[in-house]
């Protein structure tokens, strides 16, 4: 979490990076495939692709992550208090601890605290 950039694109094969990004629970990291790439389409059309659209997702799932953010999965648009779209996507993590430097989205700050959001919820 502390290392920047988060991803070293020359450390491993692109397919491994794509696979890791597809598993990102927050959707904070995404990828696109340059035209003419040799990466197979079945590898590069996962949920982490910036053009990913899953038409089978008719229900938005919101999971309360233990001592962490609300994980949203499904086509979602976050609207700000003025009614303007803040973020659109299929995966994102919303901060519920109030400590994020990137509100309303989780930036991992919850993991640095001695208290945990779930201790407050009870
Ligand atoms: S829940 Fe992750 S920063 Fe608040």
């Amino acid at each position: 979490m502390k290392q920047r950039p988060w991803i070293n694109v020359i450390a491993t094969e692109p397919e491994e990076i794509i696979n890791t990004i597809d598993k990102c629970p927050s959707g904070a990291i995404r990828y696109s495939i340059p035209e003419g790439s040799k990466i197979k389409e079945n590898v590069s059309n996962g949920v982490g692709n910036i053009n990913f659209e899953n038409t089978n997702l008719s229900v938005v799932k919101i999971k309360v992550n233990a001592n962490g953010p609300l994980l949203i999965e499904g086509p979602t648009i976050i609207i700000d208090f003025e009614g303007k779209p803040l973020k659109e996507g299929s995966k994102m993590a919303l901060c519920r601890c109030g400590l994020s430097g990137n509100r309303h989205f989780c930036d991992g700050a919850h993991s640095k605290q001695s208290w945990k959001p779930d201790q407050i919820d009870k």
Side-chain angles (χ1 to χ4, degrees):
M1 286 291 291
K2 294 178 184 170
Q3 185 177 327
R4 296 292 188 269
W6 281 352
I7 300 169
N8 179 354
V9 295
I10 60 171
T12 188
E13 297 300 317
E15 290 81 358
E16 189 173 341
I17 294 171
I18 288 169
N19 188 36
T20 301
I21 292 173
D22 283 342
K23 292 176 185 171
C24 174
S26 70
I29 51 177
R30 313 284 303 277
Y31 60 84
S32 62
I33 305 300
E35 213 170 285
S37 170
K38 294 177 181 170
I39 298 172
K40 294 178 183 168
E41 191 174 326
N42 66 338
V43 173
S44 64
N45 61 5
V47 70
N49 189 310
I50 61 170
N51 297 315
F52 177 81
E53 285 186 37
N54 187 342
T55 55
N56 294 327
L57 291 177
S58 59
V59 174
V60 175
K61 292 193 288 185
I62 302 175
K63 179 184 177 200
V64 179
N65 195 34
N67 296 313
L70 297 174
L71 299 174
I72 298 178
E73 187 176 316
T76 303
I77 301 173
I78 303 295
I79 308 293
D80 74 7
F81 59 90
E82 294 176 325
K84 297 176 186 161
L86 269 180
K87 184 172 183 177
E88 188 172 346
S90 296
K91 288 177 88 175
M92 58 187 83
L94 297 180
C95 174
R96 67 181 181 113
C97 75
L99 300 172
S100 174
N102 184 29
R103 292 184 196 167
H104 309 279
F105 306 98
C106 174
D107 69 355
H110 62 270
S111 64
K112 300 174 194 147
Q113 301 307 309
S114 57
W115 58 267
K116 301 295 179 192
D118 286 333
Q119 293 170 341
I120 295 173
D121 292 347
K122 294 180 180 175

